[in-house]
Amino acid sequence: DAKTTQPNSMESNEEEPVHLPCNHSTISGTDYIHWYRQLPSQGPEYVIHGLTSNVNNRMASLAIAEDRKSSTLILHRATLRDAAVYYCILTNFGNEKLTFGTGTRLTIIP
Amino acid sequence: DAGVIQSPRHEVTEMGQEVTLRCKPISGHDYLFWYRQTMMRGLELLIYFNNNVPIDDSGMPEDRFSAKMPNASFSTLKIQPSEPRDSAVYFCASSWGSHTDTQYFGPGTRLTVL
């Protein structure tokens, strides 16, 4: 299975944009890139996913590099509620399970 | 929909006792997943089902752990006998199916084995 690499932690100021990077240099052509986050004392929750093109939803944007070896989760205007551990995960056909790494712990500074 | 429901939310038991964790997936979802989270090992998949059939149980630690899904609306994870190292938060998740579909997680069961 292809592996992802994320920074252990990041800090951002409240109401500023946040760019969370993820490297997946061994990604295959059919791997989907998913982002989940886990708020304190809660189960993980879905944020966004994509294959090749950049994606936007009400929570965030996902920017995928042209060679797909990296991606960036963008929170356009961070709030205190966005403080969480963010996980970048790859899935593929026949591999529906989520393999969580250590993720990035995002701290929002008021 | 109420989302994925897990019970109990907290369980404290003594070593050697049997523990049963329960999960009700979102109606209509074909896949059900059991994950465990500890400080040391992070979030790890234990087992998952498709249409009530176990697909991958390679994450189940040992024979003390067993999981069943007797119907589409209910699953159990049983530990017998329980040991202190089983202390963790156990999450159940469900999804419609494919690797592109969102997994919806329950609130988890915090298990403490004394």
Side-chain angles (χ1 to χ4, degrees), chain B residues 72-90:
Chain B
S73 59
F74 184 65
S75 177
T76 60
L77 178 67
K78 186 178 294 186
I79 308 172
Q80 170 158 30
S82 58
E83 297 182 2
R85 60 189 168 130
D86 301 330
S87 298
V89 180
Y90 291 80

Side-chain angles (χ1 to χ4, degrees), chain B residues 46-65:
Chain B
L46 299 177
I47 185 171
Y48 75 96
F49 296 82
N50 177 19
N51 290 321
N52 314 335
V53 176
I55 301 300
D56 183 350
D57 65 355
S58 59
M60 295 287 264
E62 49 198 271
D63 291 346
R64 297 185 298 107
F65 285 68

Side-chain angles (χ1 to χ4, degrees), chain A residues 13-16 18 37 75 77-83 86 106-109:
Chain A
N13 294 321
E14 192 178 10
E15 299 185 3
E16 295 289 321
V18 181
R37 72 180 185 181
L75 307 179
R77 194 165 170 269
T79 68
L80 295 177
R81 194 193 173 279
D82 292 320
Y86 287 78
L106 176 65
T107 300
I108 304 298
I109 302 169

Side-chain angles (χ1 to χ4, degrees), chain B residues 9-79:
Chain B
R9 293 293 308 277
H10 302 272
E11 177 81 34
V12 179
T13 190
E14 292 188 347
M15 182 174 64
Q17 296 298 306
E18 177 181 300
V19 175
T20 300
L21 310 182
R22 297 172 176 79
C23 175
K24 175 179 169 56
I26 293 173
S27 177
H29 282 188
D30 291 330
Y31 282 77
L32 184 139
F33 305 81
W34 282 100
Y35 293 88
R36 177 173 70 174
Q37 186 170 32
T38 62
M39 289 294 294
M40 291 296 295
R41 300 176 64 89
L43 264 164
E44 52 183 350
L45 178 76
L46 299 177
I47 185 171
Y48 75 96
F49 296 82
N50 177 19
N51 290 321
N52 314 335
V53 176
I55 301 300
D56 183 350
D57 65 355
S58 59
M60 295 287 264
E62 49 198 271
D63 291 346
R64 297 185 298 107
F65 285 68
S66 63
K68 293 183 179 180
M69 192 163 185
N71 57 63
S73 59
F74 184 65
S75 177
T76 60
L77 178 67
K78 186 178 294 186
I79 308 172

Side-chain angles (χ1 to χ4, degrees), chain A residues 30-32 34 36 38 41-46 49 87 91-101, chain B residues 9 31 33 35 37 43-45 48 55-56 58 91 97-107 110:
Chain A
T30 53
D31 280 332
Y32 275 76
H34 297 256
Y36 282 75
Q38 188 173 21
S41 301
Q42 295 188 26
E45 65 175 354
Y46 168 82
H49 78 280
Y87 298 96
T91 65
N92 205 329
F93 178 76
N95 182 23
E96 294 81 7
K97 63 186 180 185
L98 300 177
T99 302
F100 290 84
Chain B
R9 293 293 308 277
Y31 282 77
F33 305 81
Y35 293 88
Q37 186 170 32
L43 264 164
E44 52 183 350
L45 178 76
Y48 75 96
I55 301 300
D56 183 350
S58 59
F91 291 103
S98 81
H99 61 288
T100 64
D101 288 323
T102 299
Q103 288 190 24
Y104 295 86
F105 285 76
R110 181 173 295 277

Side-chain angles (χ1 to χ4, degrees), chain A residues 40-92:
Chain A
S41 301
Q42 295 188 26
E45 65 175 354
Y46 168 82
V47 178
I48 200 166
H49 78 280
L51 180 62
T52 57
S53 303
N54 295 343
V55 184
N56 300 296
N57 66 21
R58 64 174 181 80
M59 289 181 71
S61 295
L62 176 60
I64 302 172
E66 194 169 338
D67 64 4
R68 300 208 328 124
K69 294 185 176 183
S70 66
S71 61
T72 302
L73 178 69
I74 302 167
L75 307 179
H76 295 287
R77 194 165 170 269
T79 68
L80 295 177
R81 194 193 173 279
D82 292 320
V85 179
Y86 287 78
Y87 298 96
C88 170
I89 301 167
L90 304 181
T91 65
N92 205 329

